[in-house]
Amino acid sequence: MARREAIEDIMKCIDDELIICNIGFPSRELYDIEDREENFYMIGSMGLASSIGLGLALAQPERDIVVIDGDGSLLMNMGSLVTVFANNPSNFTWIVIDNGAYGSTGNQDTYAQKVDLVDIAKGVGFKNSYHFEDVNLKELIKSDDAGFVVYETEAGNSKAPIIDLDPVTIRDRFMALFNEN
């Protein structure tokens, strides 16, 4: 499975959830697959999609938050695993697409090839920690505990176009969702 196919699979389980998507090609692929105001595309800040998602989950407890992250970004900010677990927001689902590579910077290998990210999440304490084929993602998103899911994919990038929205537009249209209420 390619990362793009994993994102397509994820989007089949998404209704009105807010999505924070990892930098680079994952955001480009999500934008190409299904652009929506509820998607926040990370243009920079590698490793911080989970931190932004956690802040959003705590500030918006009535909304379900889905973070689409990469193995390289998770490895860059391993501390967020403990922080998310310690807060255990019931509206937070963290999906890591593990392609064993830093896809947006040239597909250099990551150390995720040597570890099982699901086992690490379980070791931290996540009781809802799964490989994607072992869980109903839609049910996990609606569960009462933070969820952690890993999609293992092939390395490589699709030919997704550059996002034609500037960072200010991405921010403003996402923030407008909260100003309506």
Side-chain angles (χ1 to χ4, degrees), residues 94-164:
W94 189 352
I95 302 170
V96 177
I97 300 176
D98 178 2
N99 63 5
Y102 294 102
S104 294
T105 63
N107 289 310
Q108 303 88 351
D109 290 348
T110 71
Y111 289 125
Q113 295 178 12
K114 300 182 182 296
V115 298
D116 185 322
L117 297 175
V118 171
D119 285 347
I120 292 171
K122 285 179 181 177
V124 167
F126 279 87
K127 60 184 176 180
N128 287 329
S129 182
Y130 305 96
H131 293 278
F132 82 94
E133 61 271 6
D134 298 329
V135 68
N136 179 314
L137 184 57
K138 196 162 195 70
E139 288 178 12
L140 182 65
I141 290 170
K142 298 300 182 190
S143 73
D144 290 333
D145 288 299
F148 184 88
V149 178
V150 173
Y151 275 76
E152 292 176 352
T153 67
E154 303 159 359
N157 302 315
S158 73
K159 296 190 183 302
I162 299 289
I163 297 171
D164 63 359

Side-chain angles (χ1 to χ4, degrees), residues 1-172:
M1 168 185 296
R3 182 185 51 235
R4 182 183 178 94
E5 294 169 316
I7 295 171
E8 289 169 348
D9 189 63
I10 293 163
M11 291 310 291
K12 291 175 187 172
C13 299
I14 297 298
D15 296 313
D16 62 348
E17 294 84 1
L18 302 176
I19 296 177
I20 306 298
C21 191
N22 187 36
I23 66 165
F25 275 96
S27 279
R28 288 172 58 177
E29 290 168 349
L30 176 60
Y31 178 77
D32 192 42
I33 292 164
E34 187 174 345
D35 178 40
R36 48 200 275 282
E37 292 175 352
E38 293 87 357
N39 295 351
F40 184 80
Y41 307 106
M42 293 291 300
I43 302 299
S45 306
M46 184 175 176
L48 294 178
S50 59
S51 299
I52 292 169
L54 174 60
L56 189 59
L58 295 174
Q60 298 288 319
E62 72 287 349
R63 302 289 303 262
D64 287 319
I65 311 304
V66 174
V67 172
I68 299 175
D69 213 348
D71 56 305
S73 289
L74 169 61
L75 293 172
M76 180 174 261
N77 188 9
M78 290 286 285
S80 66
L81 266 173
V82 175
T83 305
V84 170
F85 167 73
N87 285 276
N88 194 30
S90 62
N91 60 333
F92 185 94
T93 304
W94 189 352
I95 302 170
V96 177
I97 300 176
D98 178 2
N99 63 5
Y102 294 102
S104 294
T105 63
N107 289 310
Q108 303 88 351
D109 290 348
T110 71
Y111 289 125
Q113 295 178 12
K114 300 182 182 296
V115 298
D116 185 322
L117 297 175
V118 171
D119 285 347
I120 292 171
K122 285 179 181 177
V124 167
F126 279 87
K127 60 184 176 180
N128 287 329
S129 182
Y130 305 96
H131 293 278
F132 82 94
E133 61 271 6
D134 298 329
V135 68
N136 179 314
L137 184 57
K138 196 162 195 70
E139 288 178 12
L140 182 65
I141 290 170
K142 298 300 182 190
S143 73
D144 290 333
D145 288 299
F148 184 88
V149 178
V150 173
Y151 275 76
E152 292 176 352
T153 67
E154 303 159 359
N157 302 315
S158 73
K159 296 190 183 302
I162 299 289
I163 297 171
D164 63 359
L165 304 172
D166 63 73
V168 172
T169 301
I170 293 168
R171 179 203 64 201
D172 289 351

